[in-house]
């Protein structure tokens, strides 16, 4: 199965993002922003105002150059979840494994990863609802959310019910197929929750399998008597987009939501989805009136541009394979 990765943004999509930045920008929310903020949208950053959150204050210390390429960037050390709920942050040996849920160490150890999930310290905190924080921080026109909070995703969604029902058109969320943390919802639970809000899964940007005998990734040979084995599916990320049939019934600015959903989809190479959203009569008319663009013409140019990039990548891969084959003679 092909992973849904962000495309290399060419001139036509970059021009569209610039035009939207002038007339129809939107906000992207990153919950669990340790290391980077909304990396999938950097190519269209000219039309994106980013708001990042992390429960661990150390994870929110971004250098000034991190704002380069975005319309704006703000980051806050705010624990998110259900409104005014007491909780504990378990800070683990591997900081990226920290969570508001305790890790299932025996499970992690059975996959040679127990040391990563060892708790080094805890922090008592009170979570805030994302609906409230977005209002208090004056986050304007939130349309995209990336969330990576190590099993705490459903609690954040519970505190973002208004955002999911009225504002967001795209969610990239981490999901688990095994309970790495005690009491965490699994993929089926997250999927049911988001689909109930009119979101539809369109693909997996990431899928991660673990081996039991070694921490090395499947595809990387290990030492010992079992150097090779495929791994078992443990966790990944899913991209959800608003159902084009649901969007017209949304309260609020349907044109802006449709324009945002389309350009976000294009950043992932989902041209057909963008066409479905932009063919909604109200959205198509709004794109012409507000942005002075012809949706079909823009989609054609972007698709041809991405087709050219695809051919170049295929030729480059074929050339690398040929060179390897020649060396093996």
């Amino acid at each position: 199965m092909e992973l849904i990765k962000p495309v290399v943004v060419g001139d036509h999509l970059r021009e569209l993002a610039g035009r939207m930045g002038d007339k129809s920008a939107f906000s992207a929310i990153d919950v669990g922003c340790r290391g980077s903020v909304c990396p999938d949208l950097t190519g269209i950053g000219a039309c994106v105002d980013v708001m990042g959150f992390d429960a661990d204050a150390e994870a929110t210390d971004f250098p000034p150059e991190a704002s380069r390429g975005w319309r704006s960037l703000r980051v806050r050390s705010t624990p998110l979840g259900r409104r005014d709920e007491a909780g504990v942050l378990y800070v683990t040996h591997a900081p990226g494994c920290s969570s508001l849920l305790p890790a299932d160490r025996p499970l992690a150890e059975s996959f040679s990863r127990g040391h990563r999930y060892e708790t080094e310290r805890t922090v008592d905190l009170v979570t805030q609802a994302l609906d409230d924080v977005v209002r208090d921080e004056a986050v304007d026109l939130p349309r995209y959310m990336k969330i990576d909070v190590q099993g705490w995703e459903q609690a954040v969604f519970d505190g973002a019910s208004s955002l999911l029902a009225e504002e967001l058109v795209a969610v990239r969320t981490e999901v688990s197929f095994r309970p790495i943390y005690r009491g965490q919802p699994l993929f089926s639970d997250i999927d049911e929750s988001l689909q109930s809000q009119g979101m539809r899964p369109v693909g997996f940007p990431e899928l991660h399998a673990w081996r039991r005998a070694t921490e090395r990734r499947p595809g990387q040979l290990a030492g010992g008597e079992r150097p090779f084995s495929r791994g078992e599916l443990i966790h990944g990320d899913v991209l959800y987009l608003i159902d084009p049939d649901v969007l017209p019934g949304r309260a609020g600015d349907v044109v802006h939501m449709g324009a945002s959903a389309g350009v976000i989809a294009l950043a992932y190479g989902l041209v057909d989805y963008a066409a479905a959203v932009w063919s909604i009569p109200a959205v198509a008319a709004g794109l012409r009136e507000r942005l002075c663009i012809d949706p079909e013409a823009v989609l054609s140019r972007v698709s041809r541009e991405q087709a050219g990039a695809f051919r170049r990548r295929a030729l480059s891969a074929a050339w690398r394979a040929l060179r390897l084959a020649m060396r093996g003679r």
Side-chain angles (χ1 to χ4, degrees):
M1 180 176 61
E2 181 186 17
L3 296 179
I4 301 290
K5 294 289 189 181
V7 298
V8 176
V9 173
D11 293 340
H12 293 302
L13 184 50
R14 192 173 295 109
E15 178 186 353
L16 174 63
R19 185 172 298 187
M20 287 189 64
D22 293 334
K23 299 181 179 181
S24 192
F26 65 90
S27 291
I29 298 168
D30 191 321
V31 184
C33 64
R34 180 184 299 276
S36 64
V37 287
C38 298
D40 292 356
L41 302 189
T42 53
I44 58 169
C47 64
V48 184
D49 296 301
V50 179
M51 187 82 214
F53 300 98
D54 203 286
D56 188 350
E58 294 180 1
T60 60
D61 187 16
F62 282 80
E65 57 267 24
S67 62
R68 189 176 302 138
W70 303 109
R71 265 176 51 96
S72 67
L73 170 64
R74 292 183 287 162
V75 182
R76 299 286 185 268
S77 174
T78 305
L80 297 173
R82 300 177 187 91
R83 183 176 290 112
D84 298 331
E85 185 174 83
V88 177
L89 175 64
Y90 298 87
V91 182
T92 53
H93 178 71
C97 298
S98 301
S99 174
L100 274 83
L101 294 173
D104 186 336
R105 284 287 305 284
L107 176 66
E109 287 170 355
S110 70
F111 285 92
S112 302
R113 285 167 169 78
H115 62 288
R116 288 176 171 265
Y117 293 87
E118 182 178 352
T119 299
E120 295 195 339
R121 60 186 174 90
T122 59
V123 180
D124 294 328
L125 45 74
V126 176
T127 59
Q128 300 181 42
L130 186 56
D131 282 340
D132 299 338
V133 176
V134 164
R135 181 195 62 236
D136 295 343
E137 292 284 352
V139 178
D140 195 29
L141 300 170
R143 301 297 183 226
Y144 175 94
M145 180 197 293
K146 185 227 103 183
I147 177 168
D148 182 358
V149 287
Q150 306 299 309
W152 192 245
E153 288 79 15
Q154 188 57 56
V156 176
F157 293 146
D158 289 346
S161 57
S162 294
L163 277 175
L164 286 165
E166 302 168 9
E167 300 280 2
L168 294 173
V169 297
V171 176
R172 173 176 171 164
T173 179
E174 185 177 37
V175 296
S176 288
F177 303 95
R178 301 279 186 97
I180 306 171
Y181 300 91
R182 295 175 190 161
Q184 79 170 109
L186 298 180
F187 166 65
S188 58
D189 305 301
I190 299 297
D191 182 67
E192 181 180 1
S193 176
L194 290 177
Q195 293 230 36
S196 72
Q197 298 286 1
M199 296 287 183
R200 303 293 177 251
V202 297
F204 291 91
E206 295 183 27
L207 284 172
H208 297 278
W210 291 358
R211 287 192 59 181
R212 290 180 178 267
T214 175
E215 194 177 356
R216 295 181 71 84
R217 297 177 181 177
Q220 295 178 334
L221 297 181
E225 296 298 318
R226 286 177 282 157
F228 171 82
S229 174
R230 289 193 170 97
E232 301 171 41
L233 183 61
I234 302 295
H235 68 99
D237 282 24
V238 187
L239 176 66
Y240 287 84
L241 296 174
I242 186 72
D243 190 326
D245 293 331
V246 170
L247 181 59
R250 278 277 187 98
D253 190 341
V254 171
V255 173
H256 188 275
M257 284 188 273
S260 302
V263 75
I264 291 167
L266 292 177
Y268 288 97
L270 295 165
V271 182
D272 289 349
Y273 172 87
V277 172
W278 286 1
S279 66
I280 297 170
V283 175
L287 289 171
R288 292 187 176 92
E289 293 169 5
R290 296 186 190 182
L291 299 179
C292 301
I293 65 171
D294 179 341
E296 283 297 332
V298 168
L299 291 169
S300 177
R301 288 195 294 269
V302 171
S303 183
R304 290 174 182 274
E305 189 171 59
Q306 294 182 1
F310 175 83
R311 294 188 189 101
R312 289 190 293 273
R313 290 195 301 272
L315 286 172
S316 177
W319 175 242
R320 288 195 301 271
L322 178 60
R323 291 179 64 184
L324 287 172
M326 295 293 289
R327 289 176 186 172
R329 282 188 173 182

